[in-house]
Amino acid sequence: MVLMQRKRRITACLAAASLCFGTFAIPLPAKAAFSANYAEALQKSLYFYECQQAGPLPEWNQVEWRADSTMTDEVTGGWYDAGDHVKFNLPMAYSASMLAWGMYQYPEGLEKTGQMDLYVNNLTFVLDYLAACDEGDTAVYQVGNGQMDHTWWGPVELLEYGMKDNGADYQKARAALRGTDSAVCGEMAAALAAGSCALKGRSDRTAEYLKHAENLFRLADETRSDEAYSNSDAGGFYRSSHFYDELFYAANWLYLATGSQSYLDKAASYIPNLGKELGSDELKYTWGMCWDDVMQGGLLLYAINTKDSFYISRVKKHLDYWTDSVTQLDGGARWLTTWGCLRYATTAGFLASVASDTILKDTDTAKYQKFYEEQINYCLGDNPDGQSYVVGYGDKYPKNPHHRTAHASWKNALDTPTENRHILYGALVGGPNQDGTYEDDRQNYINNEVACDYNAGFTALLCKMTEAYGGTPDPDFPEPEKRDTEFYVETKLTEASGGVNLSLKFTNHSAWPARIESNMSYRYYMDLSEVIDAGYSPSDVVIRVDRDQAKMYDDYTPAEISPITQYKDNIYYIEVTYPDGRVAMPISEGQHQCELMLALVFPDYQSGWNAENDYSNADLLKHPEEYVITDRIPVYQNGVLISGVEPDGTKPTKPDTPDPAERGDVNADQSVTVADLVLLIRHLTGDTVLKKAQAVPADVDENSMVNGMDAACLRQMLAEQ
């Protein structure tokens, strides 16, 4: 009945909307030959950055399998670099600068597809971290030791325990590195300056970002060296090849942010030190923009800032190199190098789009438009194999990107489980080989690596594509994942004279998120009719503990074993409780389970025990001497059933879901009035922004979006009162 009323109400809303807005056609821009939903791709790419968030997660984080992590870092926040758990500021700052550039250059696409708030949130999150890394006379440029971090494969929420289980000193594993080295400080300055430009009028932090950008630039410019940085742990992963390109890139962004000629003069002073073509004095135009080489982006900005025809020609020569000389795969993607070929291609595509819309605007840019559309479309599935290289986008996409937390292994093993347990939506994988082949295998690092910098130019280019072609974000995204059973008992039963021997392995395979839970327990149910018929009391049954693995850990509380307790009639149980959740953690082969070996013996060790009538044995007896997972040994937390089935058929109850706020009660005053409509209209016209709690009742037509349709529905509801 309620469902029918809801359907009628939505139908009425649709009719009302038609009356309110009439019937009219909106001319759409011509689309590329390949039909792609660029707004959905952008929506998912931003989700990938939410998967990478470190420290305390913001309330707007949408990832159900992530939780707060590395909370004791000297500087919390920021993005984990790739599938690992290190915060490398050089590629992170590069990635932030590219996201900022995409927003700065193409804000209209974000606005018209309704993704501006989400984009601002994600950009602000990383810029806040980079700003916090500025300590005045020095800067934190890395948090986490890459060599130590890469020895353990597991979810980041349990990194501390995984490191300790590996014998590592967690504090050393999360050490912060500091310095004033030019490339990393210059890139951080560029990101913050670009962010201040992009967020102007949209954030109250822009002045703060600019202050830190100028200070970090000062440190980088005064140091003019990468020696300390490249000889640190960072050098083994993101070694800097040069630093004048970062200084040049940052100076151009600072000019845009401040309007100060001094920064443009600084940029000009670096040009003689920029890369040259081999054996020539010609400014380098081959290769591509990336975390270690931002020269081409800097040249494009400099050409925009100066309108100098020579530098415009240099930008054009770089684009011609990409369109005409770089290896072209069947389907149009350009293949520059083995590692992360698609990151280079999409970033070059972004530079082509910006150049076409700025310094080359009055020329024939058809070749460059075709080029950047080919790069993005190839990633989204416009290729001979119909293979999307973006996780969770399209019908055929990578299932096993190289990412520890998304894989969610409980054994510190790349091959366990076989399939990733989480969908790393939006992650752009490395891409195909030079012959166009691709293998969806997390252990194939070349094809299936993911990283913040891989998605950077890709995300920026999607800003352009949404501006040019629009698109619609998925209103149901992200859909709840189908969850495995996270806590259960694996049991082996051996019948013995006068009783049974049990090996019970309490198992923690949690992944939503991976976590430690205290006060977990399980019950072994048995029918003691034969004991009672023999004239004994259930309490006469002998319980012998042959092994308690929890006692192996010096600082853990051992298992607590209950006396035999009546459940109903002749059904009794023994309950095993683990007050300390650390006895079972999904971090390694030796820690994901905690074993207890029990022997249950008939009184006076006489024969007569009937194992076949015991509730918990029904599945165990089908596979004697083997470990079996059965619902008949239920698991509890704080005494509440969370998995399995009790003898009377009782199953876990789903958590009570709070009733949604009354639809239409936008101002939460317990009634739906014209005041709610006024508030909703003010939100739609940009006069105010609804809080997160207000957005639920504002979604009157219940389609996970707040737009003009909701105003029409609310108006109809008020008219019917």
Side-chain angles (χ1 to χ4, degrees), residues 281-296:
D281 289 332
E282 182 180 14
L283 283 172
K284 192 169 183 65
Y285 63 88
T286 56
W287 199 241
M289 178 144 168
C290 62
W291 64 266
D292 187 39
D293 194 334
V294 293
M295 174 179 167
Q296 302 305 327

Side-chain angles (χ1 to χ4, degrees), residues 515-570:
R515 62 197 185 276
I516 296 168
E517 296 284 10
S518 298
N519 296 317
M520 302 294 292
S521 64
Y522 58 87
R523 293 178 183 176
Y524 174 80
Y525 286 94
M526 50 201 160
D527 186 330
L528 297 185
S529 297
E530 66 272 26
V531 174
I532 296 169
D533 290 345
Y536 293 97
S537 167
S539 61
D540 293 327
V541 173
V542 175
I543 304 173
R544 188 180 73 239
V545 179
D546 293 332
R547 181 175 190 259
D548 178 5
Q549 187 179 348
K551 287 185 176 180
M552 293 171 54
Y553 308 108
D554 294 337
D555 59 339
Y556 295 0
T557 304
E560 296 176 355
I561 303 169
S562 75
I564 292 179
T565 305
Q566 186 176 28
Y567 175 74
K568 184 179 181 181
D569 299 328
N570 287 351

